[in-house]
Structures are given as structure tokens and as C-alpha cells.
Amino acid sequence: MTTQIQIEGLASSQKSLKFTSLFGLSNEQLAVLLESFTQPSYRTRQLWHALYCQRVEALEEIAPFPVQLRQQMAAAGYGIGLPKISQVFTSSDGTERYLIACGDGACVETVETVWMPNGDGGERGDGSNESDGLYGMDGLAESVSQATPAEPYHRATICVSSQVGCAVNCHFCLTAKLGMKRNLTAGEIAGQVVAVLNRHQVRIGRDRINLVFMGMGEPFLNYAAFMEAVRLLVVGVGIPESRMTVSTSGILPGIERFATEPIRPKLALSLNAPNDAVRESIMPITRKWNIDSLLLALRAIPLRPRERVTFEYVLLGGINDRLQDARELAQLVQDSRLHAKVNLIVWNPGPDTPYQMPQEADVAAFQQHLISSGVSAYIRRPRGRDIYAACGQLKRTTA
Ligand code: SAH
Ligand code: SF4
């Protein structure tokens, strides 16, 4: 059987290849595919369950499928095509950063995904603060092979990428230096999560997993694939949407569309400045969509009970970390009338970036001012800074 059927929504790169990944296909796409193999409709349920609930890695593992069907599918070029972890970097704090290769073998790009055991201090899902020191990064980073057995964990946060590189060009971010390479497909986005869940033998239902879509790239500039990945992860893999947070640099049309989604993660806006002038100097995208327009769009999102919008605020020494900035920020958050919290992120340094880390005392004073003004404020503990795994450090560093 040599027919390569056209499946609506498949990435064009996938269409032209002989190999086609099953992982990433929606229920409807799987149904169309199995129909082309003249299979009854219950096969769709079996395949969906195998791909997303059992998280199989090879066609042979789809137990309910007859051997002949699996052979036919393989002969026609279909395989699971789950992204593969190609390199692992382990931090002294237990964080792991992965370079993950695309599943079809013909894709030369790698994407980055980060595993943070026991949460990341800012996105635990309950909004509490685990901060325990901002500057501790003793110990040497160690690069290990994938063969190293991973400890099973029962609670972790996975940071997921949505693009290879990024086009937004925030001046303080290392990912920006890569430029925009390409959008990831839904399968490549959800596949990062599943590859990491499998590595750590995570059992959904028993283990508490949070997802933050805060890796490489701007999720709202790859909106359709990103949201399809979310649906696969919620409906298929079984991770509750309340344990997912997506961060955007402020893509207005994306926020407006997001407000209408029936299934969606929580939202974080990378505010990073108390006014347009400072924001524009570090995030040129502010010229396109200013803070007021973003706040207006945020107010249109119907929040679920106890849900809060997060304002992320990267503290850059001498740029946006003064008390007067904290005062202006507190005012801005209060005037927004949003049910919101602020996550303060100490800027993670990298080569060739013209910024300085803030002083520890200034960070504490900044947070204190927000809290005493009635604004919830947490300090995000940097994770994996020694292996370039922390916020804004993902640029496929290989040493
Ligand atoms: N593109 C999205 C999500 C990825 S960036 C966004 O910008 O929101 C995730 C977070 O890391 C953002 O809040 C961003 O402001 C922050 N960040 C970027 N570079 C950083 C750096 N060098 N140190 C600390 N945080 C950084
Ligand atoms: Fe892109 Fe986010 Fe980095 Fe800005 S902070 S360049 S939007 S990844």
C-alpha cells in the first residue's frame, strides 16, 4: 500500500515526507486515516488511546491493532513519530534541559524543553511562593547521555517550546538571538511533553505535573498549532488545563482569540515594565500593541473561579527595578481591575546581553512594595541557570 492520504492540517513538511507521524493527529484526522485503511470506527478510539493515554513509542505497542494492520500502516510510511530526547543537561538543582529532535528523522532542528522537579516556584498552580534564594547556583553543570536512568518524580513542572527561535526580539532574551527558525507543529509541541513524561515514567492521575508554555518562542505567533497541542494534552494525555500556563509577550490578536477558547491554559503576560516608554526600550513589540490595549484584551478573558492573570516582570538592574518602578507597577495593576498577581523574575544573564542582574536587596524591596500596596507578588526562583535552562536562556547551548 503506497497511498499517502492528505490529512487536513498536517504541516507541509510532513506532507512531502515519506514518513508521517501519527502523534499529533486529532481524533478527526485519525478517523480519516483509519477509514483509508478500511477500518471500523472503533479503531480510531484504540489508536487515540494508545497515542495519548498509553503514550506508546512504536506501532508494535498498539496492542489492540492486528499485526497485519500495523504492517500495512508501517509500509505506507506511518509511525508514531514521537519527538526524541537527543541530549540531556543536568543542573546542580535537579533541573534537566533537553534538546529534543523531531520525530520523523528528517528534521534537523532541535527544540528545548526543561524539566523542573518540584515546581518552579512561580507556577505551581496554586499561586504560592516557593522562593528560597535568588542567587544560589553552586555546583557544575553536567552533561549526561539519555541512557542515564531517570529518577521517577511525583511532582514537576515542564517548560515547553512553541517555536524554534523567536521573532519578537526582546532585548534581554537569549532566545531572541537565534532569530525565528520555524513554527513547531501541534505534535512537536505536545510531543515534547510526552517524551519527557515517558522519560520520567510519569503517571497522570498519580503524579502532579504542571506545564508552562514558556520555552523558546512566542506561542501566540504559532496560535493554531499551540492550541491544538493544548487540546491533545488536556483531552488526550489527561493533564488538567488548570495546571497549564501560557506566557505571551503581548500579541494582541492572540489574546483576543484566547479569550474565546473553551479549553485553555491560564495566561501570563510578560509585562516587564511599568509604562510604555520603558517597555518599548526593552520590548520593541510595545510599539505595535501598547500596555493599555493589552490590559483591555486581558479584561475580556472570562476567568474561572480562583483564576488569576499573571504579570511577569523580569527585573533588569538599573532599568526597571527601582522603587519608583514598583510604585508605578502597583498602580498599573490596581488600575487594571484584573484578578492578577505579579511574578518577579530576576534577569538571567547570558553572553552579549547589555544588562545587569538586579541587587538582591532591590528585588526584595520591589516585592515588598508591591505586597504592601495590596498586589500579590512572588519571586520566581531561577532553575537550571548553570545549564542555560532558566527563563530566557534557551538558545540550544550545547555545552
Ligand atoms: N515568548 C513568551 C514565552 C517565552 S519567554 C514570552 O515572552 O512571554 C518566558 C519568560 O521569560 C517571559 O516572561 C520573558 O519575559 C522571560 N525572560 C526572557 N528572557 C529572560 C532572561 N534573560 N531572564 C529572565 N527572564 C527572561
Ligand atoms: Fe521571544 Fe519571549 Fe524571548 Fe521575547 S522573551 S524574544 S517573546 S521568547
Side-chain angles (χ1 to χ4, degrees):
M1 172 146 186
T2 52
T3 357
Q4 195 76 14
I5 63 153
Q6 292 283 304
I7 300 174
E8 186 89 12
L10 271 187
S12 52
S13 60
Q14 279 181 308
K15 276 180 200 161
S16 59
L17 292 169
K18 200 175 169 292
F19 180 88
T20 302
S21 298
L22 296 172
F23 189 91
L25 297 186
S26 66
N27 205 55
E28 295 71 32
Q29 290 171 324
L30 294 177
V32 171
L33 173 66
L34 286 164
E35 222 171 280
S36 78
F37 283 93
T38 59
Q39 293 298 308
S41 60
Y42 65 81
R43 292 273 180 239
T44 304
R45 277 195 305 280
Q46 291 174 336
L47 183 51
W48 172 270
H49 189 262
L51 287 172
Y52 302 115
C53 306
Q54 292 180 304
R55 310 190 312 243
V56 299
E57 296 182 351
L59 280 179
E60 302 81 68
E61 293 172 47
I62 311 175
F65 271 25
V67 177
Q68 199 198 3
L69 174 59
R70 286 187 245 139
Q71 284 170 346
Q72 276 178 348
M73 293 180 80
Y78 293 98
I80 304 299
L82 197 59
K84 289 204 171 42
I85 297 176
S86 61
Q87 244 179 313
V88 181
F89 303 89
T90 307
S91 164
S92 53
D93 68 15
T95 299
E96 291 186 348
R97 176 170 67 94
Y98 313 107
L99 293 186
I100 298 192
C102 302
D104 55 27
C107 176
V108 288
E109 299 283 13
T110 52
V111 297
E112 287 188 300
T113 312
V114 180
W115 162 266
M116 294 167 279
N118 302 315
D120 72 348
E123 294 302 337
R124 295 172 57 192
D126 57 6
S128 59
N129 188 9
E130 272 189 339
S131 179
D132 63 359
L134 308 174
Y135 296 80
M137 45 183 293
D138 314 333
L140 288 175
E142 175 196 2
S143 171
V144 294
S145 84
Q146 198 197 345
T148 308
E151 291 290 320
Y153 289 91
H154 300 302
R155 185 192 168 104
T157 297
I158 303 173
C159 179
V160 187
S161 294
S162 54
Q163 298 178 311
V164 184
C166 186
V168 178
N169 194 25
C170 305
H171 295 329
F172 49 82
C173 173
L174 287 193
T175 306
K177 295 193 183 302
L178 280 179
M180 168 61 180
K181 305 279 184 201
R182 75 169 173 93
N183 277 330
L184 296 178
T185 63
E188 289 165 341
I189 298 171
Q192 293 168 58
V193 176
V194 168
V196 174
L197 294 179
N198 285 356
R199 170 178 167 82
H200 291 279
Q201 300 138 44
V202 169
R203 270 206 351 239
I204 299 299
R206 178 195 66 181
D207 305 328
R208 188 168 140 157
I209 298 297
N210 292 317
L211 300 184
V212 292
F213 297 94
M214 299 186 184
M216 284 176 139
E218 169 49 59
F220 284 2
L221 289 180
N222 185 17
Y223 191 90
F226 160 68
M227 280 309 301
E228 179 58 15
V230 165
R231 287 186 287 271
L232 294 175
L233 291 165
V234 173
V235 183
V237 179
I239 302 174
E241 56 191 314
S242 59
R243 296 218 176 282
M244 301 180 180
T245 303
V246 59
S247 174
T248 179
S249 57
I251 308 298
L252 185 68
I255 299 175
E256 289 169 345
R257 216 170 142 189
F258 191 73
T260 67
E261 296 288 353
I263 294 177
R264 60 161 182 82
K266 294 180 288 181
L267 185 64
L269 173 72
S270 298
L271 187 58
N272 296 339
N275 58 52
D276 283 331
V278 176
R279 195 170 193 266
E280 209 175 298
S281 72
I282 55 177
M283 298 179 72
I285 192 152
T286 311
R287 279 199 284 277
K288 192 155 184 168
W289 296 296
N290 65 18
I291 294 177
D292 274 352
S293 68
L294 297 174
L295 295 180
L296 204 65
L298 290 183
R299 274 205 290 275
I301 300 176
L303 296 182
R304 294 163 287 221
R306 296 181 61 234
E307 181 179 359
R308 292 195 282 185
V309 168
T310 302
F311 290 116
E312 291 172 291
Y313 194 101
V314 179
L315 288 159
L316 302 162
I319 306 273
N320 63 1
D321 65 339
R322 299 154 307 170
L323 263 189
Q324 132 196 12
D325 300 313
R327 273 188 219 113
E328 215 180 328
L329 177 63
Q331 195 65 51
L332 185 95
V333 175
Q334 275 164 344
D335 290 349
S336 78
R337 299 192 313 280
L338 279 161
H339 196 216
K341 63 172 172 156
V342 174
N343 271 355
L344 298 171
I345 310 172
V346 172
W347 178 66
N348 293 308
D352 306 326
T353 28
Y355 296 106
Q356 282 177 359
M357 290 173 72
Q359 300 293 316
E360 196 158 3
D362 292 340
V363 175
F366 201 101
Q367 180 191 28
Q368 213 39 58
H369 183 82
L370 292 177
I371 292 172
S372 59
S373 313
V375 173
S376 308
Y378 305 94
I379 298 173
R380 279 267 289 275
R381 184 160 52 113
R383 301 292 304 267
R385 214 187 247 162
D386 54 348
I387 53 161
Y388 286 98
C391 289
Q393 291 192 310
L394 302 183
K395 66 167 188 83
R396 298 191 295 181
T397 310
T398 52

